[in-house]
Amino acid sequence: MNLDALEASSNKKMFFTIGVPAMVRAPDGAPRRTKVLIDRSSEIVGSVTGVKEYRCEIGLYIKDVGSGERGTLVTVDDPQSPCSKSETWMLMESISDDGYESRWVATLDG
């Protein structure tokens, strides 16, 4: 198995092992069921000020739903959620895209 195939296989296993069930709906598309990676308290430290900021980051498995776009809604059905029901997040800013995972800053919708 070459390195690219190994990375693709590892990414798929990661999403389907530790990902949470979600419905992803692009602004102009039909909803798609998949699993996403969600970090509700990702810590960012300002390089100049040193001020800490916490934000939600969502990872999409590109082979399932594409890279995503600003305004895409992600409804997460996560039993670990601090809420007792599902949460809907809106993708706001792309952080990275390595061809396997597209990572976004997200904000609660509504």
Side-chain angles (χ1 to χ4, degrees):
M1 180 181 284
N2 68 31
L3 188 56
D4 288 337
L6 179 61
E7 185 176 9
S9 173
S10 296
N11 273 283
K12 183 175 183 174
K13 285 179 186 173
M14 176 182 66
F15 269 88
F16 291 94
T17 301
I18 64 173
V20 296
M23 183 73 72
V24 177
R25 182 192 304 259
D28 60 351
R32 299 191 68 179
R33 270 229 167 267
T34 188
K35 286 195 172 185
V36 299
L37 302 178
I38 183 165
D39 180 354
R40 290 179 183 80
S41 58
S42 181
E43 183 179 294
I44 307 302
V45 179
S47 60
V48 175
T49 63
V51 174
K52 288 184 185 179
E53 171 189 345
Y54 295 92
R55 65 186 188 190
C56 176
E57 294 183 6
I58 293 180
L60 304 175
Y61 183 56
I62 292 174
K63 287 198 174 195
D64 271 3
V65 294
S67 294
E69 62 184 275
R70 183 179 172 88
T72 295
L73 297 178
V74 179
T75 302
V76 178
D77 304 318
D78 183 1
Q80 301 300 318
S81 166
C83 303
S84 58
K85 55 185 179 187
S86 62
E87 301 170 317
T88 299
W89 296 85
M90 181 182 289
L91 302 184
M92 299 302 290
E93 180 184 352
S94 177
I95 301 169
S96 65
D97 183 334
D98 64 5
Y100 300 103
E101 176 187 8
S102 176
R103 199 145 183 85
W104 287 79
V105 174
T107 187
L108 275 173
D109 186 53

